[in-house]
Amino acid sequence: MSTPRTTAVAPAAGHPLKHLAFHLLTPLLMCLGMALAYQGAFHQPAPHHLKVAVVGVAPEVRALAGAVQGRAGEALDVTTLPDRAAAEQELLDRDLVGAFLPDASHPELLVAKANSDTSAMAAEKVFQRVAAQQGVPLAVTDLTTPSEGDPTGQGLFFLLVALSIGSYGSVAVIGAAGAALAMRIRVLVGLAVSLAVSVIGILTAGPVFHVVDHDLAGVWALGWLYSAGVIGIGTGLHTFLRRWTTLAMMVLFVMLNFTSSGGVYRPELQNGFFGGLHSFWAGAGFLEGARSLLYFDGGAGFGGHLLTLVLWLAAAGVLVLGAARYERRGRAATSTAVGTGAAGGVGGRVGPVGRTGVAPGAGVPGERAGAEEEIEEEIEESAAAI
């Protein structure tokens, strides 16, 4: 007598596939956003109103400046300056990219590469052509001295990257794993995390790699201000966006932030969109503020860059206050609903109401597992984004 065989029923694939597809949407949107942002910002750098000057008062100097402007069109903004001292001052004020001193046998170009090495190279290319027409070599003089560990001037940009990753990577943990905590507690945790991020940043950029070889306290303070703003904005956004917070933070503090910071190309080599963002975006506030502090004696627009970071932190404060108010309303509505259900004789056991409407650990085991799974998935998505 043969033993009857049972046919195993295959589990329905619809729900797992739908769940997988939903979660794959975030990395695909990140891929699209990064492609659009980075290629849009960096794919075709070209001068736009690059500010240069020709030094001298003779009619020949004015004629040369006019000829250079005529050939360049909107790519350059060419002015004349009376002497070398005036040219050096404008370069150190970061109002100029290059200043050309014409000479029949020894022409010279003054630049400040700490302002932007790529912009200085663009100015050098322009006046190399002028010197080549005279048949003489062009001497290039850099008025700034790079830090020992940052000869290319790119180190501060990579410090910005480290601060940003440490900051927005912490947002998912604070928002998801700390969701049961009061907003004021999450804010205090965020301030502590931003302090830790800024300390890690300045220790690695300073004593370890010597990217920052002086004014460590000032650059650290800028880093803390920047990191606190990023974490504060993320903490506030998490209340409204939940699992989409990671994508929003990537847009704000990677896609638009790194591309407009001036770390690779400053606005004069970018299109109008990213050049416009540079004037008020958080990353540019930190990077240009640190440059001004390290290489231009705290001048050259440092106050404006500091104000940018303060305003971003203020925006974070407004967002956090709005999120706290929204959560209070949600708790009040949940408490009312629970009280109405109890008064109406709703069966079942009601657990105490927590800060998000349901107390941690309350409810059915399956619901608790689902909430914990969502937290884990959100943190994993943030880690994958990093």
Side-chain angles (χ1 to χ4, degrees):
M1 184 176 179
S2 60
T3 305
R5 290 181 298 176
T6 57
T7 305
V9 180
H15 175 68
L17 282 177
K18 183 178 179 181
H19 182 75
L20 176 62
F22 176 75
H23 286 284
L24 282 174
L25 185 61
T26 298
L28 290 176
L29 288 174
M30 288 177 183
C31 176
L32 175 62
M34 293 290 280
L36 292 174
Y38 274 72
Q39 295 181 59
F42 300 144
H43 81 289
Q44 195 176 9
H48 300 283
H49 299 286
L50 189 76
K51 294 183 179 181
V52 297
V54 181
V55 180
V57 293
E60 294 83 359
V61 171
R62 291 193 294 272
L64 175 60
V68 172
Q69 181 70 77
R71 285 195 299 268
E74 293 185 354
L76 300 179
D77 282 346
V78 186
T79 58
T80 58
L81 291 171
D83 51 37
R84 185 188 185 101
E88 289 182 353
Q89 188 60 55
E90 292 218 11
L91 283 164
L92 294 177
D93 287 340
R94 305 180 76 185
D95 293 328
L96 276 183
V97 173
F100 180 66
L101 286 75
D103 186 276
S105 55
H106 298 95
E108 182 182 9
L109 178 68
L110 304 178
V111 296
K113 290 186 177 181
N115 180 43
S116 171
D117 186 56
T118 51
S119 295
M121 289 172 61
E124 185 177 342
K125 186 178 293 187
V126 169
F127 289 104
Q128 274 179 343
R129 289 196 290 266
V130 175
Q133 289 175 353
Q134 298 175 348
V136 292
L138 176 68
V140 179
T141 302
D142 185 6
L143 301 182
T144 56
T145 304
S147 300
E148 177 188 344
D150 190 22
T152 64
Q154 296 293 307
L156 287 176
F157 173 68
F158 294 115
L159 173 58
L160 169 66
V161 172
L163 293 174
S164 301
I165 289 176
S167 300
Y168 79 72
S170 303
V171 165
V173 179
I174 296 172
L181 298 172
M183 179 59 77
R184 65 179 180 276
I185 302 299
R186 276 175 276 163
V187 169
L188 290 175
V189 170
L191 285 174
V193 171
S194 65
L195 174 60
V197 166
S198 64
V199 168
I200 291 171
I202 197 61
L203 287 178
T204 53
V208 177
F209 295 114
H210 307 289
V211 170
V212 179
D213 57 4
H214 61 282
D215 286 308
L216 268 72
V219 177
W220 162 76
L222 290 176
W224 191 8
L225 194 58
Y226 169 77
S227 179
V230 173
I231 293 178
I233 286 173
T235 302
L237 283 178
H238 191 273
T239 296
F240 305 103
L241 301 182
R242 297 297 176 187
R243 67 175 312 108
W244 297 106
T245 307
T246 295
L247 180 60
M249 295 296 285
M250 285 284 289
V251 172
L252 289 174
F253 298 110
V254 176
M255 299 173 193
L256 300 180
N257 197 39
F258 295 163
T259 50
S260 66
S261 67
V264 180
Y265 300 118
R266 275 181 52 82
E268 56 265 14
L269 296 181
Q270 292 188 294
N271 60 47
F273 176 73
F274 291 99
L277 289 181
H278 181 272
S279 62
F280 64 92
W281 217 253
F286 169 77
L287 184 61
E288 300 294 8
R291 280 175 173 167
S292 293
L293 194 61
L294 284 177
Y295 299 118
F296 300 95
D297 297 326
F302 174 76
H305 303 311
L306 179 61
L307 178 61
T308 296
L309 294 177
V310 170
L311 290 177
W312 275 83
L313 184 60
V318 171
L319 188 56
V320 162
L321 289 173
R325 185 176 181 183
Y326 178 82
E327 289 180 2
R328 282 197 299 271
R329 287 180 176 178
R331 290 196 300 271
T334 304
S335 300
T336 302
V338 170
T340 304
V346 177
R349 182 181 169 199
V350 179
V353 178
R355 300 196 182 278
T356 56
V358 180
V364 216
E367 292 176 348
R368 292 201 306 270
E372 290 171 1
E373 181 183 356
E374 183 178 350
I375 290 173
E376 291 295 333
E377 287 174 345
E378 187 173 345
I379 294 173
E380 285 171 6
E381 283 183 0
S382 179
I386 294 172

